[in-house]
Amino acid sequence: MRLVKSRRDLDQALAHLDGPDGVGLVATMGFFHAGHVSLMKQAVADGKSVVSIFVNPRQFGPEEDFDRYPRDSARDLQIAEEAGIDLVYMPPEADVYPPDFATLVTVSELSDLYCGHYRPGHFQGVTTVVARLLGLIKPRRAYFGQKDYQQSAIIRRMVADLVLDVEVRVLPTVREESGLALSSRNVFLTEAQRQAAPALHQALVDTEREMLAGERDGARLLAALERRLKRIPGFKPQYWALADRRNLEPKGTAAIGDVLLVAGHFGETRLIDNCLLGESNQGARTLLELT
Ligand code: PAF
């Protein structure tokens, strides 16, 4: 595995790497967990692979956790190497945002919903950095996790709208055995919060089960989800929504394939999760299909 820290070295390393299938990019902010590893393994399986590690200041609001965002590059490099990654790019900020950098990429509407409503400017920061990284690395494939469902929908929209020549692959959320979605921010949870946090996934799964059992009324499903979220000790729900899986428009009537989205806080720590209806209660879905 090669590590490069400048744009010049990146260009050189990419020239050596390039093969008939191009390269796959896993763009990250580091502090790897098994979710990142699953993206890396897929990238490695698909061909030459590049991981970028850059904690992007533009996607954090002024009151958010940019400074305390967890970082451990020595550990990250070891994990990337073990996953079989060919190249790691750890750019200095000036590579990503040179002094004359003046372009902001915004996917309108989609970026203002849900997380975007509570984190103004966040998705503009994400799409701007991802567009820049796609330009610098020119991957044929780019890998993202379903845990950041809205982010992946926005990136897909950007890639389609700008006719960018990259295939966006979104891989399933990796969870602890308890159901808790892996996130770099989980390290901030206290023991008590960690005990309570799996209930977030459980609330989604229980609501999905209710839908699969026949309840299709969106308002009733969301009211049940709200009750479940509000019962989680120490958790302050921020939003809960039922949306179309592609354009994320709120839905009044639930259908298989729609997405339930939730976000909230344990103390200062913000967690998000989601569930594609019909995908986590596999047993229930089979039952439904049989009836
Ligand atoms: O999902 C993330 O880790 C970040 O939002 C990304 C896509 C690396 C952009 O900084």
Side-chain angles (χ1 to χ4, degrees):
M1 185 181 81
R2 191 155 168 213
L3 166 67
V4 293
K5 293 190 171 177
S6 74
R7 193 172 165 185
R8 215 189 43 200
D9 290 348
L10 172 72
D11 288 345
Q12 241 176 32
L14 285 173
H16 279 107
L17 257 195
D18 218 2
D21 300 326
V23 300
L25 169 66
V26 183
T28 79
M29 300 205 299
F31 210 70
F32 294 153
H33 51 65
H36 295 106
V37 174
S38 94
L39 303 182
M40 291 185 216
K41 291 213 161 134
Q42 188 63 55
V44 168
D46 291 345
K48 302 287 186 191
S49 52
V50 182
V51 164
S52 62
I53 303 177
F54 178 65
V55 184
N56 173 32
R58 291 190 186 220
Q59 69 187 73
F60 291 81
E63 307 292 309
E64 291 185 352
D65 55 354
F66 174 72
D67 288 329
R68 73 166 197 149
Y69 195 82
R71 294 159 170 89
D72 188 343
S73 43
R75 183 174 155 272
D76 286 348
L77 291 174
Q78 200 182 330
I79 292 174
E81 173 131 50
E82 278 164 18
I85 291 296
D86 294 302
L87 176 63
V88 174
Y89 177 43
M90 281 178 56
E93 194 171 336
D95 256 25
V96 182
Y97 303 120
D100 53 354
F101 186 86
T103 301
L104 299 175
V105 181
T106 308
V107 173
S108 61
E109 291 173 28
L110 263 183
S111 297
D112 298 328
L113 298 168
Y114 314 116
C115 286
H117 176 77
Y118 294 97
R119 304 184 68 189
H122 166 67
F123 287 119
Q124 181 183 71
V126 170
T127 37
T128 299
V129 82
V130 170
R132 175 85 180 159
L133 290 167
L134 293 176
L136 287 166
I137 297 162
K138 299 174 206 64
R140 202 78 66 76
R141 302 165 296 284
Y143 301 82
F144 299 93
Q146 189 196 311
K147 203 213 71 189
D148 298 294
Y149 193 87
Q150 187 176 6
Q151 166 174 286
S152 59
I154 289 171
I155 291 172
R156 277 190 198 284
R157 186 76 262 147
M158 171 183 80
V159 164
D161 288 356
L162 301 180
V163 212
L164 301 179
D165 193 13
V166 60
E167 179 197 346
V168 175
R169 301 198 54 184
V170 179
L171 301 190
T173 304
V174 178
R175 300 181 181 280
E176 288 183 354
E177 214 165 305
S178 66
L180 175 64
L182 296 190
S183 161
S184 303
R185 290 189 170 96
N186 289 352
V187 292
F188 295 135
L189 298 174
T190 64
E191 195 41 48
Q193 291 168 340
R194 195 165 253 281
Q195 292 292 321
L200 196 57
H201 174 61
Q202 197 55 49
L204 289 168
V205 170
D206 289 347
T207 309
E208 179 195 35
R209 186 174 299 119
E210 212 174 317
M211 181 270 181
L212 293 173
E215 177 61 87
R216 298 298 159 101
D217 182 82
R220 278 203 292 269
L221 287 169
L222 287 177
L225 177 57
E226 176 182 359
R227 275 196 302 278
R228 292 180 176 117
L229 293 173
K230 289 188 170 164
R231 274 203 301 261
I232 302 174
F235 185 64
K236 263 211 174 127
Q238 194 172 51
Y239 71 78
W240 49 96
L242 168 70
D244 178 272
R245 69 186 292 163
R246 268 172 283 274
N247 61 25
L248 295 189
E249 272 174 22
K251 299 232 6 207
T253 306
I256 298 277
D258 288 345
V259 62
L260 286 171
L261 300 160
V262 298
H265 289 87
F266 280 105
E268 295 284 290
T269 307
R270 186 170 185 277
L271 297 186
I272 57 175
D273 205 347
N274 64 80
C275 163
L276 282 166
L277 293 175
E279 290 204 353
S280 38
N281 280 290
Q282 294 295 349
R285 180 165 60 163
T286 311
L287 260 182
L288 189 85
E289 280 163 1
L290 289 175
T291 52

